Amino acid sequence: MAENNTSQPIISVECVIEADGWPREESLRDLALGAIEAAVQEAGASRPIGLTVMFTDDESIRDLNARFRGKDKATNVLSFPAAAVPGSEDDSYIGDIAVARQTVAREAEAEGKTFDHHLTHLIIHGFLHLLGYDHETPEEAEEMETMERRVLEGLAISDPYA
């Protein structure tokens, strides 16, 4: 959890490892929190934010993709925005991100990226979806990808779209 000060909201990231082969939980938590803190700063978010990042495998993400998006295939990252709770004033929990280890590893290798850099990008990508960014139209894609590039540049990670 990030400490609160006048310029940075409290950020709570829960990491759930549900598949074998992932790095240690502490390493994943540090990577996820660093990625999300950088995205929060770039996006100018000012309210408390809570989310869960699930580190899973191709089989599980394929099931999630089929059930929630109607696409019966594995993918690298999925985002699930939290539904508003009627009568609740606490809107800090924004949703869940699921990431598939095998797909991340395959893509990183195919694209000549380190696993950690590609994973960082995908967590940022998923997080921006939770903030409402999308890439359904060319204009939306350009806005979201520009935001991703700026966040990654601040983390000394190369442009993933170059």
Side-chain angles (χ1 to χ4, degrees):
M1 171 137 31
E3 291 300 316
N4 194 14
N5 63 40
T6 58
S7 63
Q8 183 81 359
I10 294 174
I11 302 169
S12 174
V13 179
E14 180 180 350
C15 294
V16 176
I17 302 172
E18 80 153 21
D20 294 331
W22 284 99
R24 291 182 16 245
E25 183 176 354
E26 298 79 24
S27 298
L28 291 171
R29 185 179 306 110
D30 289 347
L31 184 145
L33 185 57
I36 292 164
E37 285 177 338
V40 164
Q41 184 174 2
E42 185 63 39
S46 60
R47 65 183 172 99
I49 292 175
L51 68 138
T52 299
V53 181
M54 181 175 67
F55 297 93
T56 190
D57 58 21
D58 278 1
E59 182 180 339
S60 292
I61 210 159
R62 179 181 179 170
D63 179 57
L64 291 169
N65 206 17
R67 283 193 294 153
F68 294 100
R69 297 183 65 228
K71 297 182 180 186
D72 190 18
K73 64 179 184 173
T75 189
N76 50 21
V77 63
L78 291 172
S79 297
F80 301 95
V85 178
S88 174
E89 293 182 23
D90 182 7
D91 64 350
S92 63
Y93 194 81
I94 63 170
D96 306 318
I97 299 169
V99 188
R101 185 188 56 77
Q102 295 98 323
T103 299
V104 174
R106 271 193 314 275
E107 291 174 349
E109 183 176 343
E111 298 169 14
K113 301 173 182 175
T114 69
F115 180 87
D116 283 357
H117 283 186
H118 191 46
L119 178 59
T120 299
H121 172 224
L122 293 174
I123 289 171
I124 291 166
H125 183 89
F127 178 71
L128 291 176
H129 275 301
L130 295 180
L131 292 182
Y133 289 87
D134 213 335
H135 46 81
E136 294 298 316
T137 68
E139 294 79 17
E140 289 175 339
E142 181 60 32
E143 179 183 21
M144 186 170 181
E145 290 170 12
T146 297
M147 177 73 73
E148 291 172 33
R149 286 181 182 106
R150 287 196 310 251
V151 174
L152 291 167
E153 181 181 10
L155 295 170
I157 296 176
S158 300
D159 180 351
Y161 299 106

